[in-house]
Amino acid sequence: MPDRKLPLPADQPSGRRPLLSRILKAIRRRRGLLSQEVADRMGLPLRTYEHFEAGGGRLNLARLQSFAEATDSDAYAIVASLAFGEIHFALRCADNKAMTIAMMAIQDLDREVGDDLALLDARRILHEFDAACGRLAEEARSRRFPGPRDGPAGSAR
């Protein structure tokens, strides 16, 4: 297993508030929405929404899901961005819902194998995720730079 550790957002309650606020504002702005519009979509009074968007109060996952639905973004990516300590992941996943899809895939695996999930070796899980992410990275690069690309010594990638 890698030595890196991703702290849960609750591990940094005071430090996450400004970050959560930046994430929520960035998503709302990317969607071209006013605070009042998001508040209305969430069924909240404007002041309650503004308190939420300012990162006030405890991390409320139901409210985060409601925000994601109101802004057509990815609630799981917002939580992950809090753990990563930066806003970009939430913005990058807002349209394609990549983190929600990853969570759904894990949920499907759990449903398929049940208790046998515990039998999988962590190194194997990491290897498979790395392989899948490598293939997705190639796909992303091919969409950014269409056409054949040559690697070192003229070998096609």
Side-chain angles (χ1 to χ4, degrees):
M1 282 297 293
D3 291 336
R4 63 186 174 197
K5 180 183 178 215
L6 293 176
L8 292 172
D11 289 348
Q12 311 150 1
S14 62
R16 78 164 163 76
R17 287 185 178 127
L19 178 59
L20 177 60
S21 179
R22 288 177 41 226
I23 292 168
L24 299 176
K25 287 177 184 175
I27 291 170
R28 177 178 56 77
R29 289 176 180 148
R30 176 169 285 184
R31 296 295 188 231
L33 297 169
L34 300 173
S35 296
Q36 183 66 62
E37 292 173 298
V38 179
D40 290 345
R41 290 178 182 189
M42 292 177 68
L44 297 174
L46 178 59
R47 295 198 39 112
T48 303
Y49 173 75
E50 289 172 337
H51 180 71
F52 166 70
E53 187 180 82
R58 297 180 55 127
L59 182 60
N60 180 322
L61 297 178
R63 190 160 283 170
L64 210 57
Q65 182 64 41
S66 179
F67 171 84
E69 290 170 8
T71 58
D72 190 28
S73 58
D74 188 336
Y76 287 100
I78 294 169
V79 173
S81 283
L82 289 171
F84 298 165
E86 54 88 18
I87 70 171
H88 303 291
F89 186 73
L91 293 171
R92 291 174 182 137
C93 294
D95 292 331
N96 65 17
K97 317 295 184 282
M99 192 64 188
T100 293
I101 292 167
M103 294 296 289
M104 290 168 64
I106 291 292
Q107 184 181 36
D108 289 347
L109 175 63
D110 179 61
R111 285 183 180 143
E112 183 175 333
V113 301
D115 291 342
D116 291 344
L117 182 60
L119 301 175
L120 294 175
D121 179 68
R123 290 172 296 210
R124 176 61 187 256
I125 295 169
L126 181 60
H127 172 77
E128 293 299 330
F129 274 103
D130 281 347
C133 288
R135 289 187 300 273
L136 289 170
E138 281 298 315
E139 172 70 16
R141 283 190 285 274
S142 73
R143 288 173 183 252
R144 187 172 184 189
F145 304 107
R149 294 188 311 147
D150 291 332
S155 62
R157 288 187 157 180

